Amino acid sequence: MRELVLRKKDHVTVRKELRQERTAYSYMALATPLVFGAFGLLLGRRHERLRSAQEQINRMHEEFCAIAAHDLRNPITALQLRLETLRERMKDGSANLPAEALERLVTNTRRLDQLVSQLLDATRIDSRKLEIAAVPTALPECISPIVDRLRMTVGKHSLELAIEGAPPAVMADPSRLDQILTNLVDNAAKYSPDGTPIRIAIRPEQGGATLSVTDRGFGISKDELPHVFERFYQSSRARAKKSGLGLGLYITKGLVDAHGGKISVASQPNRGSTFAVWLPRATPG
Ligand SMILES: Nc1ncnc2c1ncn2[C@@H]1O[C@H](COP(=O)(O)OP(=O)(O)OP(=O)(O)O)[C@@H](O)[C@H]1O
Ligand SMILES: [Mg+2]
């Protein structure tokens, strides 16, 4: 505007300036609805995407609650019934709990404890709040007693431990290593026929050491393989068994990641599977 006043003697220049000003305004006036329209469209699309993501989260939440409620209710109901019976019997002085009933109480309590721990760990992994206390660890010494304990849990399977070469010490949290191995051996036993062997091996591997669990079980199909580490994923065979939440491998991978390690799987249907966990070596000093 000030420029126009300064040049008001020069008729031609002023008109030219005015024309330019008008052109700029009218261009803006024309462009504004287009810009706002495009912006509105973008916002609309973004809103739509957010809404469908939110719907997906809600669906997952519902699915999760249904599964958790189902799996938690069974052991709780069994526990409740047993405890009520025990109370009645104690009242009339005949509280001599049969060993088998006591065993079932212990098993159900353990299962309940496992489920709650699994849910808590999965939540911690989701919110990246999983904490590990990694220390230099010699795998053979750490794994051996765990394998001895696991032998009592694998039913009719045999459990073999092989130490190949001289694996270096790795950075690991021993209690989390226990959880990793327990989950993998639990799966190996669950998804293979009774009597088949399960082999645990420890060997040196580039920059660290690998701990692997091999079974001669049902294996995993090519289609299912990319999904086994996903939260709540279970094959149709596993779902039909109605056992577990499909969280074991999700948590195992979360634990391995928290160690700065890697987990991989190789499997052939009806031949078996190998899950391998690589952990970085402990740096000296
Ligand atoms: N060793 C294995 N052999 C064949 N299939 C396996 C093996 N390990 C895992 N799977 C498949 O991967 C799925 C996911 O395993 P994951 O351990 O996460 O869940 P789950 O064993 O079904 O339940 P959870 O571990 O929560 O009790 C299983 O349901 C099964 O289909
Ligand atoms: Mg499992």
Side-chain angles (χ1 to χ4, degrees), residues 118 182-184 186-188 190-191 234 243-249 252:
Q118 271 195 327
T182 304
N183 280 346
L184 296 179
D186 180 52
N187 280 349
K190 196 155 72 163
Y191 302 113
Q234 291 191 292
S243 90
L245 294 175
L247 281 178
L249 286 180
T252 304

Side-chain angles (χ1 to χ4, degrees), residues 81-102:
L81 280 173
R82 297 273 150 199
L83 286 173
E84 276 164 23
T85 315
L86 182 62
R87 190 181 54 193
E88 292 311 307
R89 291 210 189 145
M90 283 180 88
K91 263 190 210 158
D92 65 24
S94 66
N96 189 12
L97 195 66
E100 178 233 346
L102 186 65

